[in-house]
Amino acid sequence: MSLSRTVLLTAALPLLLLCGRAAIAQSAPPPAWDQLTPAQREQLIGPVRERWNGASAEERSRMLEHARRWQSMTPAERAEARHGMHSWKQLPPEQREEARALYTKLRTLPDAEREALRERWKQMTPEQRRRWAAENPAPAHRGGPGR
């Protein structure tokens, strides 16, 4: 090995060790709530406080209900909910409107009619779905389906 390569490796070794430690620290599991510093807790809570303070009474009630429902879910149900939220965010706006309209209508129907509408929906073309959603609009919304 040449002298310049040896010098380079000797100089780079502390940097490599430091990078390795940083990678290990980043992969360590996050601490429990009680182990967080007050600044870390504030960093987590701050955005929720701002949203809460800017929300109407109706929105605050909805936020509390969502929190109650989330706490009652099993880990599998939470994973499914996260997947659904991710899928919802990926939908184009026009498909979100169609989904809101369908969801709103399905909530009002008896089981047999609900299943019949689902089957009809599966058979519809995109243009038929757009037309159906325009004829059966969902109420003004905020957030996910049916909101």
Side-chain angles (χ1 to χ4, degrees):
M1 182 180 289
S2 70
L3 182 59
S4 61
R5 194 177 259 185
T6 304
V7 171
L8 181 61
L9 284 174
T10 304
L13 186 59
L15 288 174
L16 291 171
L17 290 174
L18 185 60
C19 290
R21 282 192 197 137
I24 290 170
Q26 288 177 354
S27 65
W33 182 262
D34 293 340
Q35 296 170 328
L36 294 174
T37 66
Q40 289 171 319
R41 290 180 186 181
E42 179 57 33
Q43 191 175 19
L44 291 167
I45 293 173
V48 176
R49 181 185 304 112
E50 289 174 21
R51 185 171 168 214
W52 180 268
N53 287 339
S56 68
E58 181 182 339
E59 290 171 316
R60 287 179 181 182
S61 293
R62 192 176 312 128
M63 289 169 71
L64 280 174
E65 180 54 32
H66 282 233
R68 281 188 207 107
R69 262 197 333 231
W70 187 261
Q71 291 300 314
S72 70
M73 288 181 177
T74 65
E77 290 170 330
R78 288 180 184 180
E80 188 177 331
R82 280 188 198 99
H83 176 73
M85 287 184 279
H86 178 74
S87 296
W88 178 257
K89 288 178 182 177
Q90 303 305 311
L91 284 179
E94 61 276 0
Q95 284 185 327
R96 287 185 191 187
E97 287 304 316
E98 291 169 11
R100 280 187 192 98
L102 178 63
Y103 179 78
T104 300
K105 184 68 172 182
L106 289 172
R107 290 175 60 186
T108 66
L109 298 174
D111 290 343
E113 290 179 46
R114 184 180 305 136
E115 191 54 39
L117 178 53
R118 278 191 186 118
E119 288 305 314
R120 268 190 23 230
W121 186 264
K122 289 176 187 176
Q123 303 303 316
M124 289 182 194
T125 65
E127 179 54 39
Q128 289 170 324
R129 288 179 180 176
R130 277 191 290 278
R131 198 172 324 117
W132 186 93
E135 294 168 0
N136 299 277
H141 65 276
R142 177 177 165 84
R147 301 280 175 246

